Amino acid sequence: MKKDFISIADFSREEIEELLDLSSFVKKNIGKKEYTPLQGKILGMLFEKTSTRTRLSFEAGMKRLGGDAIFLFSQHTQLSKGESWADTARVLSRYVDAIMIRTFEHKKILELAKYATVPVINGLSDLLHPCQILGDIFTIKEHFKTLDVKISYIGDGNNIANSWLLGAAVMGLNLHIATPLDFSPSGFVVQKSLQIAKKTKAKITLTDDPKQAVKDAQVIYTDVWTSMGREETPLRNEMFKPYQVNNELLSHASRDFIFMHCLPAHRGKEVTDEVIDSKHSIVWQQAENRTYVQAAILIKLLEENND
Ligand code: CP
Ligand code: NVA
């Protein structure tokens, strides 16, 4: 049976640990002439929103590992003229070996996955961004050699915060999330994460106090205050001001903290230049690692699809 990657919770902790090991292997071997685990495979990439990293990391990864990728902007496909998601899924499955999709409503990804006969990967929806967080977990482990650290997410309770909740729950991590009360993560995702956390012993704390969340944390993570598809307003920016990641807030963090951001960053809003450009910032390494982790996801899903 084909397997998709729509949420981090689609994989068990053991499966994710295997994926992290495979990502390290990909990172070591990518670029070697004889290492072509995606030889002959084609990834279809369907975008309804803009992207820099997700498109490039998938496309470059496919090409460097022996495969290829085809970019489709939905406005240039028959979806824009009313062809259904189900029919689009059936047709794409006849041309490509896997589909990556970035869209607004999460249910469109579920619909695509239901009718596709090839693996479907969530490249971001309004609800989740699982490839990003799996890449970030890899980067944290690469840096600290352990995942036994305090991770603090500060800002909007958006797709990144939601995927952090699920990632932390499945992997048994120590996660603190600080958002304004009106911008909390999805209630459904919080409930699901707390349920999973009971089994994995993950420590998950939600608060509206950024100082409390940052206290003694080794990983400080933020994201834009206004995600793609949402409206940026002066009131919204005002409400998020206390959540800016700046040197004052970071004076409460552990001395060896790292700063992470999925990017793109809105410098001067959720993060200051002094932080994102500091020696604590590992945002470029974080962006690079997307390639290796997504390649590992593809290798695993395509192997399972061949079984
Ligand atoms: N982090 C991330 O997904 O970046 P893009 O929106 O550029 O793909
Ligand atoms: N939360 C952001 C993430 C971008 C990678 C957005 O959805 O726009």
Side-chain angles (χ1 to χ4, degrees):
M1 231 209 23
K2 70 136 179 163
K3 190 160 165 73
D4 304 304
F5 183 57
I6 295 174
S7 159
I8 292 206
D10 291 345
F11 285 123
S12 65
R13 183 176 181 159
E14 292 68 36
E15 284 174 314
I16 292 181
E17 273 159 7
E18 271 172 35
L19 273 174
L20 297 178
D21 288 345
L22 181 55
S23 306
S24 294
F25 188 80
V26 171
K27 187 165 183 174
K28 281 197 197 93
N29 290 286
I30 197 166
K32 290 186 186 159
K33 236 167 105 193
E34 66 283 3
Y35 186 60
T36 54
L38 294 169
Q39 177 80 47
K41 301 294 183 191
I42 298 181
L43 174 70
M45 304 188 298
L46 185 54
F47 282 86
E48 292 214 287
K49 291 179 174 178
T50 51
S51 169
T52 300
R53 281 143 289 267
T54 303
R55 176 181 177 182
L56 274 164
S57 53
F58 269 108
E59 194 164 332
M62 286 302 296
K63 290 185 187 203
R64 284 183 202 277
L65 295 168
D68 212 335
I70 299 172
F71 172 77
L72 291 166
F73 188 56
S74 67
Q75 280 302 312
H76 298 166
T77 71
Q78 302 294 8
L79 274 167
S80 69
K81 298 280 187 293
E83 188 167 20
S84 74
W85 284 85
D87 289 353
T88 302
R90 291 178 178 115
V91 168
L92 285 183
S93 301
R94 300 287 172 129
Y95 298 131
V96 298
D97 300 285
I99 302 168
M100 189 241 86
I101 173 177
R102 168 170 287 196
T103 187
F104 293 85
E105 300 91 342
H106 192 70
K107 64 175 195 285
K108 285 184 183 165
I109 302 187
L110 299 176
E111 177 87 351
L112 190 78
K114 182 172 169 192
Y115 292 98
T117 53
V118 297
V120 170
I121 298 173
N122 178 358
L124 180 146
S125 67
D126 287 344
L127 188 70
L128 299 175
H129 195 5
C131 294
Q132 178 70 52
I133 302 310
L134 207 58
D136 299 338
I137 291 174
F138 174 80
T139 302
I140 293 169
K141 196 169 175 197
E142 183 177 54
H143 182 87
F144 287 109
K145 315 284 181 247
T146 174
L147 289 173
D148 188 13
V149 289
K150 175 174 172 180
I151 302 165
S152 296
Y153 174 93
I154 312 294
D156 187 20
N158 57 19
N159 42 15
I160 294 290
N162 291 335
S163 280
W164 257 123
L165 280 163
L166 291 167
V170 173
M171 296 302 288
L173 308 182
N174 178 11
L175 175 71
H176 294 242
I177 293 194
T179 65
L181 287 177
D182 288 344
F183 298 93
S184 307
S186 145
F188 169 75
V189 171
V190 171
Q191 287 316 315
K192 182 161 179 173
S193 304
L194 293 177
Q195 220 172 5
I196 299 172
K198 276 190 204 150
K199 284 191 213 120
T200 62
K201 309 262 187 301
K203 284 190 237 151
I204 293 177
T205 307
L206 295 148
T207 175
D208 64 346
D209 180 352
K211 284 200 181 83
Q212 186 192 320
V214 161
K215 194 173 170 350
D216 299 329
Q218 280 100 3
V219 178
I220 312 292
Y221 198 116
T222 192
D223 183 22
V224 290
W225 291 340
T226 310
S227 285
M228 291 181 274
R230 306 253 187 262
E231 197 196 346
E232 179 169 0
T233 62
L235 176 65
R236 192 177 172 110
N237 285 336
E238 202 51 38
M239 290 175 81
F240 275 106
K241 259 194 186 153
Y243 296 82
Q244 183 185 66
V245 177
N246 53 34
N247 279 346
E248 203 286 308
L249 182 65
L250 289 173
S251 64
H252 302 274
S254 168
R255 285 179 57 166
D256 62 345
F257 81 88
I258 55 172
F259 171 74
M260 301 181 79
H261 191 310
C262 56
L263 304 177
H266 291 190
R267 289 163 176 259
K269 288 197 171 136
E270 75 273 6
V271 62
T272 56
D273 286 337
E274 64 197 4
V275 170
I276 197 169
D277 295 329
S278 75
K279 65 178 193 320
H280 294 276
S281 171
I282 58 164
V283 297
W284 316 121
Q285 180 184 336
Q286 180 188 355
E288 178 188 327
N289 284 338
R290 295 281 304 276
T291 302
Y292 315 127
V293 175
Q294 288 160 190
I297 294 167
L298 276 160
I299 293 167
K300 184 172 167 67
L301 294 182
L302 290 171
E303 257 172 25
E304 290 192 10
N305 208 29
N306 279 341
D307 288 347

